[in-house]
Amino acid sequence: MSSDMPVNSTDDKTTEEPTVAFSDLGLDARVLAALADLGYEKPSPIQAATIPLLLEGRDVVGLAQTGTGKTAAFALPALSRMAELADLNGPAHTPQILVLAPTRELALQVAEAFTSYAKYLPDFTVLPVYGGSPYGPQLAGLRRGAQVVVGTPGRVIDHINKGSLDLSNLQYMVLDEADEMLRMGFAEEVDKILEATPEEKQVALFSATMPRTIRRIASEYLRDPQEVAVKSKQTTGANITQRFLQVMGAHKLDAMTRILESEEFDGVIAFVRTKMATEDLTDKLKARGFTAAAINGDIPQQQRERTVENLRSGKIDILVATDVAARGLDVERISHVINYDIPHDTESYVHRIGRTGRAGRKGDAILFMTPREKYLLRAIEKATRQSVTQMQLPSLDSVNNRRIQKFTDRIDATITGQDLTTFREIVEGFAAQHEDLDHLEIAAALAMMAQGGRPLLMTEPVIPPSKKARMERDRDRGERGDRGDRGERGPRRGKTAAEGNAMYRIAVGRRNRVQPGSIVGALANEGGFNSSEIGGIEIRSDHTLVELPAELSKDQWRALSKTRIGGEPINLELDSGRKPHRDDDFERGGDRGDRGGFRGGRGGSFNDRKRSGGFRDERRGGGDKRFGGGSRGGRDRFSDSGRRRDY
Ligand code: ADP
Ligand code: MG
């Protein structure tokens, strides 16, 4: 049995592909009209199954994966009922519908959905309330009398405590993305809010998964709930093509660049493990000329929202995100999801790739994995019921062919779209003065100028032979299999990048008594490098050779030109063609390898989980004890519920 939904209730309803239309469900005509405007053709399975129940007034637990239309499943019947109540009693002036959502982004999305479904309903106001933004407008909105309040649990509690949220007339309460809400530690708040609401109300709980904590909440606060589970078969769109690329950590950036350069993409989300990695990767992508931005839990809410808006509008193309920050994001133009770091588990994977293929579009999901992680593919294929095919690193030729194509397209566009008179005259004059010059030669010179001195074509990086041998050795061994266990500076490994790196020379050496650690520290701090970017360090008597990314941004150059180590200016410069000759002269700087979340070998984490059921806890740096109980428990317990064997 391959169900992703461990649902055991006796009154389960497992739905098949529905043949019903929205108009069959009993929704208010004004709501139907809004749906027609939105272009919704027919209800999704979870909608077809839950809308009639909710219209009847029943409490419902709805389980379906991300992207299956759960918002409309609870919003449409709620609005229909409220509209009909308003027809009878006149408009209400206190909140009738309260939706709890785990994050500001999701609260805003739900609020927007409500607004669009309520388009033809008179006097309906929807108010999102969330943390990290001023109370003023929210208070004003509440005073004006919003009928629908969509909020994050923390802020809703605040308003309840302040007395600004009047729940006395509440008719309908929704816990949206309940599993995520609990995972984020909101169990207590959810309890409190539910206790603060009137006895007589309808409750709907929607979730992608059903951990035990949700079962507890459902049995405590829902009245004889009808449980509806939609099998995941119908969810992960067949419109998403899944591929994986075998790539070592040190080469991921290069791989990503090549992919972006050789595939047609619109919007991209790249998922990484840590908040720090979102910033790192964003900076590196920007240095390579992409428009990118990071979102993670540490970035202020407003800025996150702006970033998502920028992605939506095309101001940026790439969002680098952590799982939590991107949860539920619904941006149609996302054509690619790149799993830059492998997700924690198949469930996260499914959520991640669900960010693409929105609104029936085609989507591409690409997973970077090391040879050690390859065995996880089967679990992913099982969870998504689709095969994940291997892709090859786009070749230099394919990248360059596209660069040439784009370049020549620009020529075309300029010829057809611009007035060339002035330049034509200048070139004519120039050619007349240089009769010996072939016109092609002149054109080539101009092309080079147009390129602004940057090389147009990508070249294969030169790898010192000793290094190449070492990299191959590492590859055979599997990436960093044993690094985490040692937690100390070892001999250089695969992560010490060669590709895309260059050798630099700094003017401090043994004479100045520098240590590798202080060099790494200074470079990392001043140049903003992360661990994987600083390669081998060879300390000579009066200077030191350091491997750093071949392409440094202007800011990095500027910062590093001012850097001092031990009081001495380092005078960073590219080392002209000199390569380190003795392997054992290399010292690996700093205990940096594990920062990106590789402790214990990343691939091993799934193994660990299998053994102990607790890898998720290890990830968070605590033991089972720390997260075993309490609000985080939801997910951990979920892992005991039968899905674990999928791994
Ligand atoms: P979930 O909460 O299950 O992750 P959402 O409610 O966010 O999913 O819906 C995902 C996307 O599908 C949204 O863009 C929404 O507008 C769209 N959608 C929902 N229901 C339908 C439908 N019946 N027809 C077409 N698009 C729909
Ligand atoms: Mg949702």
Side-chain angles (χ1 to χ4, degrees), residues 202-260:
Q202 188 177 2
V203 185
L205 184 157
F206 281 82
S207 184
T209 61
M210 184 66 157
R212 227 175 292 160
T213 331
I214 293 189
R215 224 172 254 306
R216 200 255 313 151
I217 288 183
S219 64
E220 215 163 304
Y221 297 104
L222 276 65
R223 255 176 320 170
D224 181 26
Q226 179 87 26
E227 195 163 295
V228 176
V230 167
K231 297 249 159 129
S232 56
K233 174 170 61 200
Q234 295 148 330
T235 64
T236 315
N239 53 340
I240 301 175
T241 309
Q242 301 180 68
R243 287 171 292 168
F244 75 94
L245 176 71
Q246 207 158 295
V247 58
M248 311 297 271
H251 305 298
K252 284 180 182 178
L253 177 65
D254 188 45
M256 177 151 172
T257 313
R258 287 197 191 194
I259 289 167
L260 293 174

Short mmCIF file of all heavy atoms in Angstrom, two decimals, residues 202-260:
data_model
loop_
_atom_site.label_atom_id
_atom_site.label_comp_id
_atom_site.label_asym_id
_atom_site.label_seq_id
_atom_site.Cartn_x
_atom_site.Cartn_y
_atom_site.Cartn_z
N GLN A 202 -18.81 26.25 13.32
CA GLN A 202 -18.37 25.16 12.46
C GLN A 202 -16.85 25.21 12.37
O GLN A 202 -16.28 26.30 12.31
CB GLN A 202 -19.00 25.36 11.08
CG GLN A 202 -18.80 24.21 10.14
CD GLN A 202 -19.49 24.43 8.80
OE1 GLN A 202 -20.10 25.49 8.58
NE2 GLN A 202 -19.41 23.44 7.93
N VAL A 203 -16.22 24.05 12.38
CA VAL A 203 -14.76 24.04 12.30
C VAL A 203 -14.29 23.17 11.13
O VAL A 203 -14.78 22.06 10.95
CB VAL A 203 -14.11 23.50 13.60
CG1 VAL A 203 -12.59 23.63 13.53
CG2 VAL A 203 -14.63 24.24 14.82
N ALA A 204 -13.40 23.71 10.37
CA ALA A 204 -12.78 22.93 9.29
C ALA A 204 -11.28 22.90 9.54
O ALA A 204 -10.68 23.91 9.89
CB ALA A 204 -13.08 23.57 7.94
N LEU A 205 -10.71 21.73 9.38
CA LEU A 205 -9.27 21.60 9.56
C LEU A 205 -8.69 21.03 8.28
O LEU A 205 -9.11 19.96 7.82
CB LEU A 205 -9.01 20.68 10.76
CG LEU A 205 -7.57 20.45 11.22
CD1 LEU A 205 -7.56 20.02 12.68
CD2 LEU A 205 -6.85 19.43 10.37
N PHE A 206 -7.77 21.76 7.70
CA PHE A 206 -7.16 21.28 6.46
C PHE A 206 -5.66 21.10 6.65
O PHE A 206 -5.01 21.91 7.32
CB PHE A 206 -7.44 22.23 5.30
CG PHE A 206 -8.81 22.04 4.73
CD1 PHE A 206 -9.91 22.64 5.34
CD2 PHE A 206 -9.02 21.23 3.63
CE1 PHE A 206 -11.19 22.45 4.84
CE2 PHE A 206 -10.29 21.03 3.11
CZ PHE A 206 -11.38 21.65 3.72
N SER A 207 -5.17 20.05 6.08
CA SER A 207 -3.78 19.70 6.33
C SER A 207 -3.28 18.82 5.20
O SER A 207 -4.07 18.17 4.51
CB SER A 207 -3.72 18.95 7.68
OG SER A 207 -2.39 18.67 8.01
N ALA A 208 -1.97 18.84 5.01
CA ALA A 208 -1.41 17.94 4.00
C ALA A 208 -1.19 16.56 4.60
O ALA A 208 -1.24 15.55 3.90
CB ALA A 208 -0.10 18.50 3.46
N THR A 209 -0.93 16.52 5.90
CA THR A 209 -0.69 15.24 6.55
C THR A 209 -1.47 15.20 7.86
O THR A 209 -2.02 16.20 8.30
CB THR A 209 0.80 15.05 6.87
OG1 THR A 209 1.22 16.10 7.75
CG2 THR A 209 1.64 15.08 5.60
N MET A 210 -1.48 14.04 8.46
CA MET A 210 -2.31 13.86 9.64
C MET A 210 -1.49 13.32 10.81
O MET A 210 -1.61 12.17 11.19
CB MET A 210 -3.44 12.88 9.28
CG MET A 210 -4.45 12.64 10.37
SD MET A 210 -5.40 14.12 10.72
CE MET A 210 -6.87 13.40 11.43
N PRO A 211 -0.64 14.13 11.38
CA PRO A 211 0.07 13.66 12.57
C PRO A 211 -0.90 13.51 13.75
O PRO A 211 -2.01 14.03 13.70
CB PRO A 211 1.11 14.75 12.84
CG PRO A 211 0.63 15.95 12.13
CD PRO A 211 -0.26 15.49 11.02
N ARG A 212 -0.43 12.83 14.78
CA ARG A 212 -1.33 12.51 15.88
C ARG A 212 -1.85 13.76 16.59
O ARG A 212 -2.97 13.78 17.08
CB ARG A 212 -0.62 11.59 16.88
CG ARG A 212 -1.48 10.42 17.28
CD ARG A 212 -0.69 9.46 18.17
NE ARG A 212 0.37 8.80 17.44
CZ ARG A 212 1.42 8.22 18.05
NH1 ARG A 212 1.55 8.27 19.36
NH2 ARG A 212 2.35 7.61 17.33
N THR A 213 -1.01 14.79 16.65
CA THR A 213 -1.46 16.01 17.33
C THR A 213 -2.70 16.58 16.65
O THR A 213 -3.56 17.15 17.31
CB THR A 213 -0.36 17.10 17.23
OG1 THR A 213 0.89 16.47 17.15
CG2 THR A 213 -0.42 18.03 18.41
N ILE A 214 -2.77 16.43 15.36
CA ILE A 214 -3.93 16.95 14.65
C ILE A 214 -5.15 16.11 14.98
O ILE A 214 -6.24 16.63 15.18
CB ILE A 214 -3.66 17.00 13.14
CG1 ILE A 214 -2.58 18.04 12.90
CG2 ILE A 214 -4.92 17.31 12.36
CD1 ILE A 214 -2.34 18.36 11.46
N ARG A 215 -4.92 14.81 15.07
CA ARG A 215 -6.01 13.94 15.47
C ARG A 215 -6.55 14.37 16.84
O ARG A 215 -7.75 14.42 17.08
CB ARG A 215 -5.51 12.50 15.55
CG ARG A 215 -6.45 11.53 14.93
CD ARG A 215 -5.85 10.15 14.85
NE ARG A 215 -5.47 9.82 13.49
CZ ARG A 215 -6.29 9.87 12.45
NH1 ARG A 215 -7.54 10.28 12.59
NH2 ARG A 215 -5.88 9.54 11.25
N ARG A 216 -5.61 14.71 17.71
CA ARG A 216 -6.00 15.14 19.06
C ARG A 216 -6.84 16.41 18.97
O ARG A 216 -7.93 16.49 19.55
CB ARG A 216 -4.71 15.40 19.86
CG ARG A 216 -4.88 15.40 21.37
CD ARG A 216 -4.85 16.77 22.03
NE ARG A 216 -3.79 17.68 21.64
CZ ARG A 216 -3.92 18.99 21.67
NH1 ARG A 216 -5.07 19.55 22.02
NH2 ARG A 216 -2.91 19.76 21.31
N ILE A 217 -6.35 17.37 18.23
CA ILE A 217 -7.09 18.63 18.11
C ILE A 217 -8.47 18.39 17.50
O ILE A 217 -9.48 18.91 17.97
CB ILE A 217 -6.29 19.64 17.27
CG1 ILE A 217 -5.10 20.12 18.10
CG2 ILE A 217 -7.15 20.81 16.83
CD1 ILE A 217 -4.26 21.17 17.44
N ALA A 218 -8.49 17.54 16.48
CA ALA A 218 -9.76 17.27 15.82
C ALA A 218 -10.75 16.65 16.80
O ALA A 218 -11.92 17.03 16.84
CB ALA A 218 -9.55 16.36 14.62
N SER A 219 -10.27 15.69 17.59
CA SER A 219 -11.23 15.03 18.47
C SER A 219 -11.63 15.95 19.63
O SER A 219 -12.71 15.84 20.17
CB SER A 219 -10.69 13.69 18.98
OG SER A 219 -9.55 13.94 19.76
N GLU A 220 -10.76 16.87 19.99
CA GLU A 220 -11.07 17.75 21.09
C GLU A 220 -11.99 18.91 20.68
O GLU A 220 -12.87 19.30 21.44
CB GLU A 220 -9.76 18.32 21.65
CG GLU A 220 -9.76 18.51 23.15
CD GLU A 220 -8.33 18.67 23.66
OE1 GLU A 220 -7.50 17.78 23.40
OE2 GLU A 220 -8.05 19.71 24.27
N TYR A 221 -11.76 19.45 19.52
CA TYR A 221 -12.46 20.69 19.18
C TYR A 221 -13.45 20.58 18.02
O TYR A 221 -14.17 21.54 17.75
CB TYR A 221 -11.44 21.79 18.84
CG TYR A 221 -10.56 22.16 19.99
CD1 TYR A 221 -9.24 21.71 20.05
CD2 TYR A 221 -11.04 22.95 21.04
CE1 TYR A 221 -8.42 22.04 21.11
CE2 TYR A 221 -10.23 23.28 22.10
CZ TYR A 221 -8.91 22.84 22.13
OH TYR A 221 -8.10 23.17 23.18
N LEU A 222 -13.44 19.49 17.30
CA LEU A 222 -14.39 19.37 16.20
C LEU A 222 -15.54 18.47 16.63
O LEU A 222 -15.33 17.51 17.38
CB LEU A 222 -13.70 18.82 14.95
CG LEU A 222 -12.97 19.85 14.06
CD1 LEU A 222 -11.80 20.48 14.78
CD2 LEU A 222 -12.50 19.21 12.75
N ARG A 223 -16.71 18.79 16.14
CA ARG A 223 -17.88 18.00 16.49
C ARG A 223 -18.12 16.95 15.42
O ARG A 223 -18.42 17.29 14.28
CB ARG A 223 -19.11 18.91 16.59
CG ARG A 223 -19.56 19.19 18.02
CD ARG A 223 -20.69 20.15 17.95
NE ARG A 223 -20.36 21.14 16.91
CZ ARG A 223 -21.21 22.04 16.44
NH1 ARG A 223 -22.44 22.08 16.88
NH2 ARG A 223 -20.84 22.90 15.51
N ASP A 224 -17.96 15.71 15.80
CA ASP A 224 -18.24 14.61 14.89
C ASP A 224 -17.72 14.90 13.48
O ASP A 224 -18.48 14.94 12.51
CB ASP A 224 -19.76 14.36 14.88
CG ASP A 224 -20.11 13.20 13.97
OD1 ASP A 224 -19.24 12.32 13.78
OD2 ASP A 224 -21.23 13.18 13.43
N PRO A 225 -16.43 15.17 13.38
CA PRO A 225 -15.92 15.60 12.08
C PRO A 225 -15.98 14.51 11.03
O PRO A 225 -15.75 13.34 11.32
CB PRO A 225 -14.47 15.97 12.39
CG PRO A 225 -14.11 15.15 13.58
CD PRO A 225 -15.36 15.00 14.39
N GLN A 226 -16.27 14.91 9.87
CA GLN A 226 -16.19 14.01 8.73
C GLN A 226 -14.77 14.14 8.17
O GLN A 226 -14.30 15.25 7.94
CB GLN A 226 -17.20 14.43 7.67
CG GLN A 226 -17.19 13.58 6.43
CD GLN A 226 -18.10 12.36 6.56
OE1 GLN A 226 -19.07 12.38 7.32
NE2 GLN A 226 -17.79 11.30 5.84
N GLU A 227 -14.15 13.02 7.98
CA GLU A 227 -12.77 13.08 7.52
C GLU A 227 -12.70 12.75 6.03
O GLU A 227 -13.26 11.76 5.59
CB GLU A 227 -11.94 12.07 8.31
CG GLU A 227 -10.47 12.29 8.18
CD GLU A 227 -9.74 11.54 9.29
OE1 GLU A 227 -9.92 11.90 10.47
OE2 GLU A 227 -9.00 10.60 8.96
N VAL A 228 -12.04 13.58 5.30
CA VAL A 228 -11.92 13.37 3.86
C VAL A 228 -10.44 13.36 3.50
O VAL A 228 -9.73 14.32 3.77
CB VAL A 228 -12.60 14.52 3.08
CG1 VAL A 228 -12.38 14.33 1.59
CG2 VAL A 228 -14.08 14.58 3.40
N ALA A 229 -10.01 12.26 2.93
CA ALA A 229 -8.61 12.19 2.52
C ALA A 229 -8.54 11.99 1.03
O ALA A 229 -9.21 11.12 0.48
CB ALA A 229 -7.92 11.04 3.24
N VAL A 230 -7.75 12.79 0.39
CA VAL A 230 -7.58 12.62 -1.04
C VAL A 230 -6.20 12.02 -1.27
O VAL A 230 -5.21 12.54 -0.77
CB VAL A 230 -7.72 13.96 -1.78
CG1 VAL A 230 -7.23 13.83 -3.21
CG2 VAL A 230 -9.16 14.41 -1.76
N LYS A 231 -6.20 10.93 -1.96
CA LYS A 231 -4.93 10.26 -2.19
C LYS A 231 -3.99 11.12 -3.02
O LYS A 231 -4.43 11.83 -3.91
CB LYS A 231 -5.18 8.93 -2.91
CG LYS A 231 -6.01 7.98 -2.08
CD LYS A 231 -5.19 6.80 -1.63
CE LYS A 231 -5.79 6.16 -0.44
NZ LYS A 231 -5.97 4.73 -0.54
N SER A 232 -2.73 10.97 -2.71
CA SER A 232 -1.78 11.87 -3.35
C SER A 232 -1.61 11.61 -4.83
O SER A 232 -1.07 12.42 -5.55
CB SER A 232 -0.43 11.78 -2.66
OG SER A 232 -0.01 10.44 -2.67
N LYS A 233 -2.11 10.48 -5.28
CA LYS A 233 -2.01 10.14 -6.70
C LYS A 233 -2.52 11.29 -7.57
O LYS A 233 -1.96 11.61 -8.61
CB LYS A 233 -2.87 8.90 -6.93
CG LYS A 233 -3.01 8.46 -8.36
CD LYS A 233 -3.67 7.08 -8.44
CE LYS A 233 -5.05 7.11 -7.82
NZ LYS A 233 -5.55 5.79 -7.45
N GLN A 234 -3.57 11.92 -7.07
CA GLN A 234 -4.20 12.95 -7.91
C GLN A 234 -3.56 14.31 -7.72
O GLN A 234 -4.04 15.29 -8.26
CB GLN A 234 -5.68 13.04 -7.52
CG GLN A 234 -6.42 11.78 -7.85
CD GLN A 234 -7.53 11.53 -6.87
OE1 GLN A 234 -7.45 11.92 -5.72
NE2 GLN A 234 -8.57 10.88 -7.33
N THR A 235 -2.51 14.35 -6.93
CA THR A 235 -2.03 15.68 -6.58
C THR A 235 -0.76 16.10 -7.28
O THR A 235 -0.75 17.07 -8.00
CB THR A 235 -1.84 15.81 -5.06
OG1 THR A 235 -0.82 14.91 -4.68
CG2 THR A 235 -3.11 15.49 -4.34
N THR A 236 0.30 15.35 -7.07
CA THR A 236 1.54 15.80 -7.69
C THR A 236 1.33 15.78 -9.19
O THR A 236 1.20 14.73 -9.77
CB THR A 236 2.70 14.88 -7.33
OG1 THR A 236 2.63 14.61 -5.96
CG2 THR A 236 4.02 15.52 -7.69
N GLY A 237 1.28 16.93 -9.73
CA GLY A 237 0.86 17.03 -11.11
C GLY A 237 1.72 16.22 -12.05
O GLY A 237 2.94 16.18 -11.92
N ALA A 238 1.06 15.57 -12.98
CA ALA A 238 1.82 14.88 -14.01
C ALA A 238 2.48 15.92 -14.90
O ALA A 238 3.25 15.62 -15.78
CB ALA A 238 0.89 14.00 -14.82
N ASN A 239 2.14 17.18 -14.61
CA ASN A 239 2.73 18.25 -15.42
C ASN A 239 4.11 18.66 -14.92
O ASN A 239 4.71 19.57 -15.43
CB ASN A 239 1.79 19.46 -15.45
CG ASN A 239 1.38 19.90 -14.06
OD1 ASN A 239 1.48 19.13 -13.11
ND2 ASN A 239 0.94 21.12 -13.92
N ILE A 240 4.59 17.99 -13.86
CA ILE A 240 5.93 18.30 -13.37
C ILE A 240 6.90 17.20 -13.80
O ILE A 240 6.69 16.03 -13.53
CB ILE A 240 5.95 18.43 -11.83
CG1 ILE A 240 4.99 19.54 -11.39
CG2 ILE A 240 7.37 18.72 -11.34
CD1 ILE A 240 4.86 19.67 -9.89
N THR A 241 7.92 17.61 -14.51
CA THR A 241 8.94 16.66 -14.93
C THR A 241 10.04 16.64 -13.89
O THR A 241 10.57 17.68 -13.52
CB THR A 241 9.54 17.11 -16.28
OG1 THR A 241 8.47 17.36 -17.17
CG2 THR A 241 10.46 16.05 -16.85
N GLN A 242 10.37 15.45 -13.42
CA GLN A 242 11.38 15.37 -12.37
C GLN A 242 12.67 14.77 -12.90
O GLN A 242 12.67 13.72 -13.54
CB GLN A 242 10.87 14.49 -11.23
CG GLN A 242 9.60 14.97 -10.60
CD GLN A 242 9.18 14.04 -9.48
OE1 GLN A 242 9.84 13.97 -8.45
NE2 GLN A 242 8.12 13.30 -9.70
N ARG A 243 13.75 15.45 -12.60
CA ARG A 243 15.06 14.94 -12.99
C ARG A 243 16.02 15.05 -11.81
O ARG A 243 15.79 15.85 -10.90
CB ARG A 243 15.62 15.77 -14.15
CG ARG A 243 14.94 15.51 -15.48
CD ARG A 243 15.40 16.52 -16.51
NE ARG A 243 14.93 17.86 -16.20
CZ ARG A 243 15.37 18.96 -16.80
NH1 ARG A 243 16.30 18.89 -17.72
NH2 ARG A 243 14.88 20.14 -16.47
N PHE A 244 17.06 14.27 -11.86
CA PHE A 244 18.10 14.47 -10.86
C PHE A 244 19.45 14.58 -11.54
O PHE A 244 19.65 14.07 -12.64
CB PHE A 244 18.10 13.35 -9.80
CG PHE A 244 18.69 12.05 -10.27
CD1 PHE A 244 20.03 11.74 -10.06
CD2 PHE A 244 17.90 11.12 -10.94
CE1 PHE A 244 20.57 10.55 -10.49
CE2 PHE A 244 18.43 9.91 -11.37
CZ PHE A 244 19.78 9.63 -11.14
N LEU A 245 20.33 15.27 -10.88
CA LEU A 245 21.68 15.43 -11.40
C LEU A 245 22.63 15.00 -10.31
O LEU A 245 22.53 15.46 -9.17
CB LEU A 245 21.94 16.90 -11.76
CG LEU A 245 23.37 17.20 -12.23
CD1 LEU A 245 23.61 16.62 -13.62
CD2 LEU A 245 23.62 18.70 -12.25
N GLN A 246 23.51 14.11 -10.68
CA GLN A 246 24.50 13.68 -9.71
C GLN A 246 25.62 14.71 -9.67
O GLN A 246 26.28 14.94 -10.67
CB GLN A 246 25.04 12.33 -10.14
CG GLN A 246 25.54 11.52 -9.00
CD GLN A 246 25.55 10.06 -9.38
OE1 GLN A 246 24.51 9.44 -9.63
NE2 GLN A 246 26.74 9.51 -9.47
N VAL A 247 25.78 15.35 -8.55
CA VAL A 247 26.76 16.43 -8.49
C VAL A 247 27.29 16.54 -7.06
O VAL A 247 26.55 16.38 -6.10
CB VAL A 247 26.14 17.76 -8.99
CG1 VAL A 247 24.92 18.15 -8.17
CG2 VAL A 247 27.14 18.90 -8.98
N MET A 248 28.58 16.79 -6.97
CA MET A 248 29.19 16.94 -5.66
C MET A 248 28.97 18.37 -5.16
O MET A 248 28.86 19.30 -5.94
CB MET A 248 30.69 16.69 -5.74
CG MET A 248 31.05 15.42 -6.48
SD MET A 248 30.42 13.98 -5.63
CE MET A 248 31.80 13.69 -4.55
N GLY A 249 28.98 18.50 -3.87
CA GLY A 249 28.71 19.80 -3.25
C GLY A 249 29.47 20.96 -3.87
O GLY A 249 28.90 22.01 -4.17
N ALA A 250 30.74 20.73 -4.10
CA ALA A 250 31.58 21.83 -4.58
C ALA A 250 31.20 22.27 -5.99
O ALA A 250 31.55 23.36 -6.41
CB ALA A 250 33.04 21.42 -4.54
N HIS A 251 30.51 21.42 -6.70
CA HIS A 251 30.21 21.74 -8.10
C HIS A 251 28.77 22.15 -8.33
O HIS A 251 28.33 22.34 -9.46
CB HIS A 251 30.55 20.54 -8.98
CG HIS A 251 31.95 20.08 -8.80
ND1 HIS A 251 33.03 20.89 -9.09
CD2 HIS A 251 32.45 18.94 -8.31
CE1 HIS A 251 34.14 20.23 -8.80
NE2 HIS A 251 33.82 19.05 -8.31
N LYS A 252 28.03 22.26 -7.23
CA LYS A 252 26.61 22.56 -7.40
C LYS A 252 26.37 23.92 -8.04
O LYS A 252 25.50 24.07 -8.89
CB LYS A 252 25.91 22.54 -6.04
CG LYS A 252 25.67 21.16 -5.48
CD LYS A 252 24.98 21.34 -4.14
CE LYS A 252 24.72 20.03 -3.46
NZ LYS A 252 24.08 20.28 -2.14
N LEU A 253 27.14 24.89 -7.61
CA LEU A 253 26.93 26.23 -8.14
C LEU A 253 27.15 26.24 -9.65
O LEU A 253 26.36 26.78 -10.41
CB LEU A 253 27.87 27.23 -7.46
CG LEU A 253 27.76 28.65 -8.00
CD1 LEU A 253 26.38 29.24 -7.71
CD2 LEU A 253 28.84 29.54 -7.40
N ASP A 254 28.25 25.59 -10.03
CA ASP A 254 28.55 25.53 -11.45
C ASP A 254 27.44 24.79 -12.19
O ASP A 254 26.99 25.22 -13.25
CB ASP A 254 29.90 24.82 -11.63
CG ASP A 254 30.35 24.89 -13.07
OD1 ASP A 254 30.26 26.00 -13.64
OD2 ASP A 254 30.79 23.87 -13.62
N ALA A 255 26.96 23.70 -11.58
CA ALA A 255 25.90 22.93 -12.21
C ALA A 255 24.65 23.79 -12.37
O ALA A 255 24.02 23.81 -13.43
CB ALA A 255 25.59 21.69 -11.38
N MET A 256 24.34 24.51 -11.32
CA MET A 256 23.13 25.33 -11.39
C MET A 256 23.26 26.40 -12.47
O MET A 256 22.33 26.63 -13.24
CB MET A 256 22.87 25.99 -10.04
CG MET A 256 21.67 26.91 -10.07
SD MET A 256 20.87 27.02 -8.47
CE MET A 256 19.69 28.33 -8.79
N THR A 257 24.43 27.01 -12.53
CA THR A 257 24.66 28.02 -13.54
C THR A 257 24.48 27.44 -14.93
O THR A 257 23.81 28.01 -15.79
CB THR A 257 26.08 28.58 -13.41
OG1 THR A 257 26.32 28.87 -12.04
CG2 THR A 257 26.24 29.84 -14.21
N ARG A 258 25.06 26.29 -15.12
CA ARG A 258 24.95 25.68 -16.46
C ARG A 258 23.51 25.34 -16.81
O ARG A 258 23.08 25.51 -17.95
CB ARG A 258 25.80 24.40 -16.51
CG ARG A 258 27.27 24.69 -16.56
CD ARG A 258 28.01 23.47 -17.04
NE ARG A 258 29.44 23.62 -16.86
CZ ARG A 258 30.33 22.82 -17.44
NH1 ARG A 258 29.93 21.84 -18.21
NH2 ARG A 258 31.60 23.01 -17.24
N ILE A 259 22.80 24.84 -15.81
CA ILE A 259 21.40 24.49 -16.08
C ILE A 259 20.62 25.74 -16.45
O ILE A 259 19.87 25.77 -17.42
CB ILE A 259 20.78 23.79 -14.85
CG1 ILE A 259 21.37 22.39 -14.69
CG2 ILE A 259 19.26 23.71 -14.99
CD1 ILE A 259 21.07 21.73 -13.37
N LEU A 260 20.82 26.79 -15.67
CA LEU A 260 20.09 28.03 -15.94
C LEU A 260 20.47 28.60 -17.30
O LEU A 260 19.67 29.26 -17.95
CB LEU A 260 20.36 29.06 -14.84
CG LEU A 260 19.82 28.70 -13.46
CD1 LEU A 260 20.28 29.72 -12.43
CD2 LEU A 260 18.30 28.62 -13.48
#
